[in-house]
């Protein structure tokens, strides 16, 4: 299915699973900015919404409840993704509200959340840069998971390099970074393509760049 169908199924599944305040927050809090983030940033990277939770409820440091725009949760990782609009309500925010927002973010960090914030303008005007940030943040954890695989040392190092860069990579970049011959790099890249860890991004007979494959984007 395409984005529209998957997005509606994703939203409906969370709506049906919620009641009370959690349901109300999803109905009222999930708006244009959040939908645009999913469409322009998240979907082109992953083509699915697995492990992602909209308007996710967390305990407040004042014994209340707060809601995150999105939470990406799986064993060993908790990422808060916030999309901040810029409007009259933000310009007129009180000093107390400003301090409260900072305290909220500090508390998430203390509770071992990774917090990533984007402005609505960034999501709208520069989605590719937002994609790179998301890929790098999630990739930091995925890179650690590579140690649990049977990949060779060189294969792991190449994948970590691609993850850190957050965009397509060329064989020449791999050669310079790992100080390897072009023959060795071509062999390692070919093996990673066979294992679906990398996929060709440009070029046909002669591949000029590579990007992460689904096996790395969504490891079992």
């Amino acid at each position: 299915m395409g984005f529209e169908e998957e997005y509606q199924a994703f939203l409906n599944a969370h709506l049906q699973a919620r009641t009370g305040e959690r349901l109300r927050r999803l109905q009222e809090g999930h708006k244009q900015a959040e939908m645009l983030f999913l469409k322009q940033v998240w979907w082109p990277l992953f083509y699915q919404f697995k492990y992602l939770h909209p308007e996710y409820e967390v305990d407040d440091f004042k014994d209340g409840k707060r809601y995150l725009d999105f939470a990406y949760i799986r064993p060993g990782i908790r990422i808060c993704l916030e999309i901040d609009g810029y409007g009259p309500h933000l310009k007129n925010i009180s000093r107390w509200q400003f301090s409260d927002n900072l305290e909220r973010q500090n508390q998430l960090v203390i509770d071992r959340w990774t917090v990533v914030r984007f402005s609505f303008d960034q999501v709208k005007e520069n989605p590719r840069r937002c994609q790179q940030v998301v890929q790098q943040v999630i990739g930091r954890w995925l890179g650690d998971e590579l140690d649990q695989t049977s990949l060779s040392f060189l294969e792991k190092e190449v994948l970590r390099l691609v993850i850190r860069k957050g965009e397509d990579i060329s064989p020449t970049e791999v050669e310079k970074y790992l100080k390897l011959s072009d023959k060795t790099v071509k062999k390692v890249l070919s093996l990673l393509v066979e294992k679906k860890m990398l996929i060709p991004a440009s070029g046909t007979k002669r591949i000029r760049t590579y990007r992460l494959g689904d096996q790395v984007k969504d490891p079992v």
Side-chain angles (χ1 to χ4, degrees), residues 5-6 13 35 40-41 44 47 80 88 94 140 143 150 153 202 216:
E5 295 85 357
E6 288 282 0
M35 187 277 287
Q40 296 203 163
V41 178
Y47 298 103
C80 163
S94 70
R140 183 174 63 185
S150 58
F153 172 78
S202 64
V216 180

Side-chain angles (χ1 to χ4, degrees), residues 185-207:
V185 167
K186 287 178 183 177
K187 181 179 179 181
V188 174
L189 292 173
S190 295
L191 287 172
L192 288 171
V193 170
E194 287 179 14
K195 297 174 182 179
K196 298 181 180 180
M197 295 287 185
L198 290 179
I199 58 175
S202 64
T204 51
K205 292 184 178 180
R206 182 177 180 182
I207 302 170

Side-chain angles (χ1 to χ4, degrees), residues 1-9 35 39 43:
M1 293 191 295
F3 170 78
E4 296 297 339
E5 295 85 357
E6 288 282 0
Y7 169 71
Q8 202 56 57
M35 187 277 287
K39 185 175 184 178
W43 181 258

